[in-house]
Amino acid sequence: VQLQASGGGLVQPGGSLKLSCVASGINLDIGVTGWYRQAPGKQRELVATITTVGNTNYVDSVKGRFTISRDNAKNTVYLQMNSLKPEDTAVYVCNKLTYWGQGTLVTVSS
């Protein structure tokens, strides 16, 4: 099983990024898939989840700015991040059951 995250980078405050998590060896359309993030010196935080039927949930700090979605044909989960803030700076990782991706770094800075 592999979860390959990509799409991170450096963006100015107010900007947008779209993260992708491509899975192999496991179906992302069954059960819950989540995006987590870990900022320097902080604990890992659950950012967003999506269920089999497409129900989504978000941590309060990203509600209205981030959108999690899934493309079943591509076995990929996305995290669209808009109106980014410096406090969104973190390594973002995707998770499915006990499997974790390698993470992609998002840096929000002017």
Side-chain angles (χ1 to χ4, degrees), residues 10-11 20 26 35 50 54 58 61 71 73 76 79 84 88 95 98:
L10 173 63
V11 64
S20 300
I26 193 168
W35 281 100
I50 186 166
Y58 302 91
S61 60
D71 185 329
T76 300
L79 186 67
L84 282 161
D88 295 318
N95 164 261
T98 60

Side-chain angles (χ1 to χ4, degrees), residues 64-108:
R65 300 188 297 122
F66 290 12
T67 303
I68 188 171
S69 61
R70 187 178 62 228
D71 185 329
N72 294 339
K74 295 182 178 180
N75 205 24
T76 300
V77 169
Y78 303 98
L79 186 67
Q80 176 67 48
M81 306 185 295
N82 299 328
S83 302
L84 282 161
K85 304 175 181 181
E87 51 264 44
D88 295 318
T89 294
V91 174
Y92 285 72
V93 295
C94 53
N95 164 261
K96 181 73 173 179
L97 298 175
T98 60
Y99 304 103
W100 296 86
Q102 87 289 359
T104 185
L105 176 62
V106 172
T107 304
V108 184

